Amino acid sequence: MKEKLKLKYPVIVEGKYDRLRILSVAEGQILTTEGFGVFKKKEKLALFRALAEKSPVIVLTDPDGAGTLIRAHIGSAIPPQRLIPLYVPRIKGVEKRKAVPSAEGTLGVEGQEREVLYELLAPFAGGELLANPISKADFYEDGLTGCADAAARRDQLCAVVGLPTGMTPNALLAALRVITTYEEYKAAVKKIS
């Protein structure tokens, strides 16, 4: 296998197995919709909107009815000029981890050959990946976990950075790592102190 691609833009896929398949050929921010969870969890769509404000966003869903619905829902929340739609080929088959084929009998993102995904994503690779160092230790130090008013402080921080309130610490940490730099995070925390 070739060296892993370093993706310039975040990629949104449907589920964790799709994410793992993409990570087998590329490094970068690979986020999931949790299938139809994107319709129920307002913080997911808010995160995708916030991402699109910072960078173009790649959307790669399965080539079936469910993938089309999810793609359309994301597309309704993100300006078209910030959206990079990618499509995997429609191939009949069954994913290795499944006993029966999908309703439409086609392979999803997780069932695609690595070479297909590599070629699909290659035009969006290049540059160095910058790891965002925001950590759970920062959350503890900044009173976002481990204290009586941590949930209220997280909600205040969400308001400052434009995310919905009520996010869990893990969801908020994942979102902040994508939409802010470490310096922007620290500046936002100062605003709620």
Side-chain angles (χ1 to χ4, degrees):
M1 184 69 194
K2 301 172 188 172
E3 184 178 321
K4 282 188 178 185
L5 300 166
K6 291 181 177 14
L7 298 175
K8 294 187 280 191
Y9 307 126
V11 179
I12 300 171
V13 295
E14 290 180 48
K16 66 180 180 181
Y17 293 105
D18 299 331
R19 180 178 185 276
L20 291 172
R21 192 62 168 176
I22 297 298
L23 287 171
S24 74
V25 298
E27 297 174 20
Q29 284 289 341
I30 316 298
L31 303 128
T32 70
T33 67
E34 297 177 35
F36 286 121
V38 73
F39 291 95
K40 300 173 195 159
K41 296 181 179 177
K42 64 181 182 177
E43 70 267 11
K44 279 282 180 192
L45 215 51
L47 172 59
F48 298 159
R49 276 191 206 103
L51 266 175
E53 288 176 13
K54 299 276 184 183
S55 159
V57 177
I58 297 169
V59 176
L60 180 59
T61 59
D62 292 348
D64 58 14
T68 301
L69 283 174
I70 291 166
R71 181 186 296 272
H73 188 63
I74 294 167
S76 71
I78 295 175
Q81 67 274 18
R82 303 300 282 175
L83 196 67
I84 301 170
L86 294 183
Y87 300 87
V88 293
R90 194 173 177 86
I91 301 169
K92 293 284 185 189
V94 181
E95 270 105 11
K96 291 179 184 176
R97 70 177 180 87
K98 296 180 180 175
V100 294
S102 67
E104 295 184 28
T106 57
L107 295 175
V109 171
E110 75 173 271
Q112 299 295 318
E113 293 292 328
R114 284 186 175 94
E115 190 62 32
V116 169
L117 295 172
Y118 191 95
E119 295 302 320
L120 191 63
L121 294 167
F124 307 100
E128 288 299 311
L129 295 177
L130 299 176
N132 190 321
I134 302 170
S135 68
K136 288 186 178 183
D138 290 308
F139 269 27
Y140 184 80
E141 180 182 305
D142 296 329
L144 300 170
T145 58
C147 62
D149 64 343
R153 288 182 56 77
R154 285 194 306 273
D155 285 348
Q156 291 171 347
L157 182 62
C158 285
V160 169
V161 298
L163 290 171
T165 59
M167 294 182 79
T168 65
N170 286 340
L172 180 57
L173 181 60
L176 290 171
R177 283 179 173 162
V178 173
I179 67 168
T180 66
T181 63
Y182 189 77
E183 292 74 24
E184 290 168 338
Y185 160 74
K186 283 299 194 180
V189 168
K190 281 185 182 176
K191 290 180 181 178
I192 65 168
S193 295

